[in-house]
Amino acid sequence: MASRTNKIRPIRKPITNRDQSEFEPCWALLRDAMTDIHLQNAGRLSFEQLYRASYKIVLRKKGALLYERVRDFEQEWFRDHIMPNIAALITKNLINISLLQHPGSSSHERREMGEKFLRGIRDSWTDHNRSMNMIADVLMYLDRVYTLETKQPSLFAVTIGLFRNNVLRSHIGAAAEDIEQDFVVFDILCAVILDLINMERDGDIINRNLVRKITAMLESLYETDDEIENHRLYLTLFEPRYLEASTEFYRKECEKLVQEANCSTWLRHAQRRLNEERERCGTTLSIMTTDKIASVVEKELIEAKLDVFLAMEGSGLKPMIDNDRLDDLSILYQLISRVDSTKSALKVILQRRVRELGLEIEKALKNTDFSVAGAAAGDGEDAGEAAEKAKPQTLNPAQQQTAAAIKWVDDVLQLKDKFDRILSDCFCDDLLLQSAITRSFSDFINSFNRSSEYVSLFIDDNLKRGIKTKTEAEVDAVLDKAIVLLRYLTDRDMFERYYQKHLAKRLLHGKSEIHTEKEMVSRMKSEMGNHFTSKFEGMFKDMELSKDLTDNYRDHIASLGDADYKMVDLNINVLTTNNWPPEVMGGSTSKGEGAKPDCFYPPEIKRLQESFYKYYLKDRSGRVLTWVSSAGNADVKCVFPKVPGKETGPLSKERRYELNVSTYGMIVLMLFNDLVDGESLSFDEIQAKTNIPAPELMRTLASLSSVPKCRVLLKEPATKNVKNTDKFSYNAQFVSKAIRIKAPVISSISKVEGDEERKETERKNDQTRAHVIDAAVVRIMKQRKLLAHTKLVNEVISQLMGRFKPDVPLIKKRIEDLLAREYLERVEGDSSTYRYLA
């Protein structure tokens, strides 16, 4: 059996020793290459060879050692080559100017010294950053393998962070030996940047690009090598100091503006500062600071003294509004919108100013003389008499009051247009401000106790006079203004009462165009609902039915061959009592009076009335017609014979005119047909023959004897006012250039009510409100059956707010009345709860 010979093998060298022998040559190669890179002499290097060297080291598990060697090398490089240059830049003068802020140095000197220091930091950072990028490329395999496996920061993060640790956080050294506080380089860096920015704010020119390089460096550096996103040095160190310094700067600037500037200057200055800071963040600092620095400016420069600037005499918000300084108001709105989403400061002053201007309108009425105006102010003028309208006319008290009412509404509308323009052009139609302005308008309009009447008079005036000369767009504008005013009114039931009276007179006297009236009512219906316009629509319906009725009656008379038809042409308006106001229907206007007595019609008219009555009742049995003589008018054909002894001129021949007068005027004129020349009738005789109420008769005789253009009667004595003792005769010498003459129907003038008339109107309206509240209470209780007192009152107010603002005491009074009338009862054991009784 053969035996195997055992050989003794030589001992193998340990792997570690071999790895160590390979590491040192590779490290030497890498170290020399890193030195060349720092010296900007990398052109001769072979990056492939260097990459293989780092690859070999990592492959031999020496990544940790290489990691430490590179870090130590860079530490030494900072100590030997970079820090000496940085230390040379930090002089005592720089410390005194930047950190200690010693006075005496000019802005130019500070800028030159500060920018020199920043350039040194920038150059060191640029060189280090470039070098670290190249070294990171060479040692890429180290980061891809070793740092990932060990979960350490990348080599680039560690080496780039060395600039933070060795430069920015290093103490300033010998230059600050006599300073007790321990400053670091970053303190100087930050102070220099803040000083340069303040210089720029004061109007100096600085090197923006240089500052941007430094802030970009701070954005690239982190608090630690872990590089947590929100731990950038820019955010943790620089930005807080920048915001703090900016807060102090703008606080002082605001105090200076309060002392030296006006509100307009402040507005533009604040707007400019906001634009500057936004631009500065985009070009010099960082866009991350944009919103934060804007907040500082908003708080210190705008919000801090906002109330002071708005209240400034001669330049605050009040003068801006009064003088229509739209540019200032636009800037103000933009600034306030930034600091207060509710815009409370602006709302308060706006509302107060609206109320003040509204009260000034009311006060101005008392100081305005309305005794003389153009003849257009008189309600009885014909639209065709342009020559007469051009002449000034003395207005009677009623016309003066009406002119005052129209002026009040016009001034309110002008004020509304003013604030609408401000709201649109300056406040971007802001809904909060729009609501505030609307509330203020409503407050001062409703605080004026004649607002409902004045608004109705305004519409009456526009629809009666001048509407024919307006374009369709102008008519729409008038209607829109009327609706705007109507929206503000809380006592809409009072407006409804006045509008019904004024509309009735316009319709019966043909003072407006029916399609415009219907358009106005249609808009009211859309705004307020059917219940508000039901009576108005009933009035239109009556007028339309009356027109058809008149045409049919004329055809009926013509078919009979009635001779009276040729003498008198009857135009009938049959009015439904519930739709028309009592004043028009012949009811009382004063408390305690009954219906007006009927007058004595001439036989010709009496026969025609009886004829119409028979025709009307032929198909309408059971109806009662009451003739309302105070609401009608008549066209009377007058013949004035030649005046004896007159051979030339108008009086030398017969003259024929057509005189439009009230029904009362027609009755009076027909009395003079049977008088011989030279005879006269006294006031008492005329009243006895006509039975016209004395006040109406006085107005009628005044229109026929005092107005020059239609003076067909002579009054003795020839005074302006009519008295019971006056006598009247036929004016044989009456001459007029016009063939058709319109006598002013004084009783139809829409005028402002006197104090007694207004009290009576309010009394009637309160009676109507009582019935409306009764109906609302019953309607609510019928539905709810059982309801507590407070909830019942609240529901009544809620339901009736669209018509008027109910008074709580009146609601309580109506509930008590309904309890007494046994519509409701109190729940036993709970006196504050009501039960409906079916």
Side-chain angles (χ1 to χ4, degrees):
M1 177 177 176
S3 61
R4 187 173 60 182
T5 305
N6 293 327
K7 292 183 178 181
I8 301 175
R9 298 179 180 276
I11 300 174
R12 298 179 64 182
K13 294 181 179 181
I15 296 177
T16 55
N17 292 338
R18 188 177 63 183
D19 290 346
Q20 187 69 26
S21 63
E22 291 183 353
F23 173 82
E24 292 299 336
C26 291
W27 166 242
L29 179 65
L30 292 174
R31 183 187 58 208
D32 293 341
M34 291 168 60
T35 302
D36 290 337
I37 289 174
H38 277 295
L39 295 175
Q40 300 183 18
N41 191 27
R44 62 181 181 83
L45 298 178
S46 171
F47 279 85
E48 181 180 358
Q49 183 183 12
L50 297 173
Y51 180 84
R52 286 180 178 177
S54 65
Y55 174 83
K56 186 181 295 184
I57 291 174
V58 174
L59 193 65
R60 295 291 187 267
K61 305 299 182 181
K62 293 296 181 179
L65 182 60
L66 178 60
Y67 192 88
E68 293 176 2
R69 289 282 183 92
V70 172
R71 184 174 57 195
D72 293 341
F73 174 84
E74 293 300 329
Q75 288 274 21
E76 294 175 3
W77 187 268
F78 268 102
R79 183 186 66 238
D80 299 336
H81 298 86
I82 296 179
M83 288 308 300
N85 297 331
I86 300 297
L89 295 173
I90 303 174
T91 64
K92 288 187 176 181
N93 197 19
L94 177 65
I95 295 173
N96 290 335
I97 291 174
S98 60
L99 294 180
L100 305 182
Q101 298 180 352
H102 285 179
S105 58
S106 65
S107 60
H108 176 74
E109 181 184 359
R110 298 198 326 269
R111 183 173 63 253
E112 288 293 328
M113 189 175 300
E115 289 183 354
K116 179 181 178 182
F117 172 73
L118 293 183
R119 280 193 292 271
I121 298 294
R122 179 201 62 188
D123 294 343
S124 298
W125 164 254
T126 302
D127 292 344
H128 179 67
N129 192 53
R130 181 177 58 249
S131 299
M132 291 307 98
N133 273 293
M134 296 178 67
I135 292 173
D137 289 342
V138 170
L139 303 175
M140 185 184 304
Y141 192 73
L142 178 67
D143 276 341
R144 292 175 59 184
V145 177
Y146 171 73
T147 57
L148 286 179
E149 289 178 353
T150 59
K151 296 182 180 181
Q152 294 192 66
S154 68
L155 185 63
F156 178 80
V158 171
T159 55
I160 206 71
L162 292 175
F163 193 90
R164 171 195 65 228
N165 299 332
N166 291 276
V167 176
L168 299 183
R169 291 178 177 172
S170 66
H171 298 283
I172 56 180
E177 290 178 353
D178 55 344
I179 301 176
E180 295 180 0
Q181 189 172 348
D182 191 13
F183 290 106
V184 295
V185 173
F186 177 80
D187 294 328
I188 300 178
L189 179 74
C190 186
V192 168
I193 295 175
L194 296 180
D195 190 37
L196 289 174
I197 289 175
N198 283 343
M199 290 182 195
E200 186 179 46
R201 286 169 175 164
D202 290 333
D204 289 344
I205 298 175
I206 65 171
N207 190 337
R208 287 186 171 188
N209 185 58
L210 175 60
V211 177
R212 179 58 190 145
K213 292 290 186 181
I214 300 300
T215 56
M217 173 192 75
L218 296 177
E219 286 186 79
S220 302
L221 293 172
Y222 298 81
E223 286 285 345
T224 63
D225 295 338
D226 293 331
E227 295 189 344
I228 301 173
E229 182 61 28
N230 59 350
H231 285 184
R232 297 174 185 268
L233 293 186
Y234 180 89
L235 296 176
T236 60
L237 295 180
F238 175 77
E239 188 179 74
R241 298 190 190 187
Y242 171 67
L243 296 178
E244 182 181 357
S246 299
T247 299
E248 183 64 22
F249 177 87
Y250 285 117
R251 181 181 296 119
K252 293 179 179 178
E253 186 171 73
C254 187
E255 292 290 346
K256 184 178 180 181
L257 286 171
V258 169
Q259 298 296 326
E260 301 177 0
N262 57 33
C263 186
S264 180
T265 302
W266 165 72
L267 287 173
R268 285 163 173 75
H269 186 82
Q271 186 184 49
R272 178 168 61 85
R273 285 303 194 195
L274 285 169
N275 293 335
E276 287 176 356
E277 293 297 343
R278 182 174 62 252
E279 181 186 6
R280 184 173 292 113
C281 289
T283 60
T284 309
L285 301 177
S286 170
I287 58 173
M288 293 188 292
T289 310
T290 304
D291 294 337
K292 299 172 186 176
I293 188 61
S295 297
V296 169
V297 178
E298 290 165 2
K299 181 179 179 180
E300 300 300 333
L301 196 57
I302 302 174
E303 187 177 5
K305 300 294 182 180
L306 177 61
D307 293 338
V308 176
F309 284 110
L310 291 182
M312 279 187 170
E313 190 71 24
S315 65
L317 181 55
K318 177 182 174 181
M320 289 183 199
I321 295 171
D322 294 347
N323 300 318
D324 292 326
R325 300 213 299 258
L326 301 184
D327 290 341
D328 287 353
L329 289 170
S330 297
I331 299 173
L332 176 63
Y333 173 75
Q334 294 170 16
L335 297 183
I336 289 181
S337 298
R338 300 178 70 103
V339 301
D340 182 12
S341 59
T342 64
K343 306 168 188 69
S344 56
L346 181 57
K347 280 195 301 185
V348 169
I349 299 179
L350 269 178
Q351 288 181 299
R352 183 168 62 244
R353 192 56 188 153
V354 169
R355 296 189 189 100
E356 290 172 352
L357 292 174
L359 294 177
E360 287 178 12
I361 291 173
E362 185 178 344
K363 183 179 179 181
L365 286 182
K366 302 175 182 178
N367 301 325
T368 304
D369 182 12
F370 294 98
S371 60
V372 178
D379 191 42
E381 297 294 331
D382 189 272
E385 298 174 352
E388 291 293 329
K389 285 188 176 184
K391 299 178 182 178
Q393 182 187 20
T394 301
L395 303 183
N396 60 41
Q399 291 171 328
Q400 291 180 37
Q401 291 176 348
T402 302
I406 302 305
K407 184 181 187 316
W408 181 84
V409 177
D410 282 336
D411 288 348
V412 170
L413 286 173
Q414 289 180 14
L415 186 63
K416 179 66 169 59
D417 290 341
K418 175 189 183 77
F419 279 92
D420 282 347
R421 184 171 63 256
I422 291 174
L423 189 66
S424 173
D425 297 348
C426 307
F427 298 161
C428 302
D429 290 320
D430 189 285
L431 292 179
L432 289 174
L433 298 180
Q434 184 179 20
S435 299
I437 292 173
T438 299
R439 284 195 300 271
S440 298
F441 267 92
S442 181
D443 289 344
F444 88 76
I445 287 175
N446 289 289
S447 67
F448 183 49
N449 59 4
R450 291 186 177 272
S451 56
S452 297
E453 181 183 9
Y454 277 16
V455 171
S456 181
L457 275 170
F458 168 79
I459 300 173
D460 181 71
D461 181 74
N462 276 277
L463 294 183
K464 281 196 304 187
R465 299 187 301 108
I467 202 73
K468 295 180 180 179
T469 62
K470 288 182 172 65
T471 64
E472 186 175 345
E474 290 173 333
V475 172
D476 284 340
V478 170
L479 300 183
D480 288 340
K481 288 180 178 179
I483 293 298
V484 166
L485 289 172
L486 191 53
R487 290 194 187 109
Y488 290 129
L489 297 178
T490 54
D491 293 338
R492 293 176 177 176
D493 57 337
M494 283 290 286
F495 170 82
E496 180 184 1
R497 183 176 293 272
Y498 285 116
Y499 192 82
Q500 183 188 27
K501 181 171 64 175
H502 295 153
L503 174 61
K505 292 180 179 179
R506 290 198 300 273
L507 294 178
L508 294 177
H509 293 92
K511 293 277 188 173
S512 62
E513 297 180 7
I514 191 66
H515 72 276
T516 306
E517 294 283 4
K518 287 185 176 181
E519 177 63 23
M520 182 75 251
V521 171
S522 175
R523 297 191 184 199
M524 290 183 186
K525 185 176 182 178
S526 299
E527 189 70 26
M528 256 73 72
N530 295 340
H531 70 278
F532 187 83
T533 59
S534 59
K535 290 185 178 181
F536 306 152
E537 291 173 333
M539 294 164 72
F540 293 145
K541 185 177 180 180
D542 285 349
M543 296 299 291
E544 292 171 358
L545 293 177
S546 296
K547 184 178 182 302
D548 294 339
L549 181 62
T550 298
D551 292 339
N552 293 335
Y553 174 68
R554 287 174 177 171
D555 294 340
H556 169 71
I557 294 298
S559 66
L560 296 178
D562 195 329
D564 287 340
Y565 174 74
K566 298 179 182 178
M567 295 178 59
V568 181
D569 185 9
L570 185 63
N571 187 20
I572 299 293
N573 289 320
V574 180
L575 311 180
T576 305
T577 305
N578 291 338
N579 293 334
W580 297 78
E583 296 86 352
V584 172
M585 300 302 291
S588 65
T589 56
S590 299
K591 187 175 180 180
E593 293 184 5
K596 293 181 180 179
D598 200 8
C599 63
F600 300 151
Y601 291 95
E604 301 89 341
I605 303 301
K606 194 70 174 176
R607 288 195 298 270
L608 204 57
Q609 288 176 331
E610 293 173 355
S611 172
F612 176 78
Y613 191 71
K614 292 179 182 178
Y615 170 78
Y616 184 80
L617 293 181
K618 183 173 63 175
D619 298 323
R620 302 171 182 85
S621 61
R623 295 195 182 184
V624 177
L625 290 181
T626 302
W627 295 90
V628 184
S629 52
S630 61
N633 62 83
D635 290 331
V636 181
K637 293 183 178 180
C638 304
V639 179
F640 293 83
K642 172 184 176 182
V643 177
K646 298 290 184 179
E647 301 298 332
T648 59
L651 298 178
S652 64
K653 56 185 178 181
E654 183 179 85
R655 304 170 309 284
R656 294 178 179 270
Y657 303 106
E658 187 172 313
L659 189 62
N660 180 264
V661 295
S662 66
T663 301
Y664 287 149
M666 176 268 294
I667 296 172
V668 170
L669 286 178
M670 293 187 72
L671 294 178
F672 291 86
N673 283 341
D674 300 330
L675 290 183
V676 298
D677 293 343
E679 288 189 6
S680 63
L681 292 173
S682 67
F683 180 88
D684 291 337
E685 289 175 330
I686 295 174
Q687 187 177 21
K689 291 176 179 291
T690 61
N691 200 34
I692 298 174
E696 299 284 356
L697 182 57
M698 286 182 178
R699 286 192 287 266
T700 300
L701 290 172
S703 69
L704 297 175
S705 62
S706 299
V707 182
K709 70 171 187 175
C710 57
R711 191 177 293 157
V712 294
L713 297 180
L714 295 177
K715 187 172 77 71
E716 182 184 349
T719 56
K720 187 174 182 180
N721 297 326
V722 176
K723 299 180 180 179
N724 293 351
T725 57
D726 292 343
K727 292 184 178 181
F728 299 87
S729 60
Y730 168 66
N731 184 8
Q733 297 189 3
F734 176 75
V735 175
S736 175
K737 295 179 180 180
I739 302 299
R740 282 186 55 85
I741 305 167
K742 184 177 179 62
V745 186
I746 297 175
S747 62
S748 71
I749 297 176
S750 298
K751 62 182 180 65
V752 177
E753 291 182 330
D755 292 338
E756 291 300 322
E757 291 176 305
R758 178 163 183 80
K759 288 179 181 178
E760 178 62 16
T761 300
E762 290 177 346
R763 184 186 66 82
K764 292 180 179 178
N765 200 61
D766 287 342
Q767 291 177 351
T768 303
R769 286 185 177 182
H771 298 315
V772 172
I773 293 174
D774 286 352
V777 171
V778 171
R779 184 168 57 250
I780 293 169
M781 291 302 300
K782 187 174 182 179
Q783 180 182 9
R784 304 293 291 276
K785 304 302 182 185
L786 198 70
L787 200 61
H789 174 82
T790 303
K791 292 184 178 179
L792 176 58
V793 171
N794 290 336
E795 287 202 31
V796 170
I797 293 175
S798 176
Q799 286 194 12
L800 299 182
M801 278 298 292
R803 299 186 65 180
F804 60 91
K805 187 176 181 180
D807 293 328
V808 174
L810 180 58
I811 297 175
K812 292 180 179 178
K813 182 178 178 181
R814 300 318 307 163
I815 292 175
E816 292 296 332
D817 186 69
L818 290 172
L819 287 168
R821 290 152 55 191
E822 297 185 352
Y823 281 89
L824 310 175
E825 70 173 1
R826 298 185 189 274
V827 174
E828 187 176 352
D830 186 2
S831 60
S832 64
T833 303
Y834 307 114
R835 179 184 291 112
Y836 176 68
L837 298 177

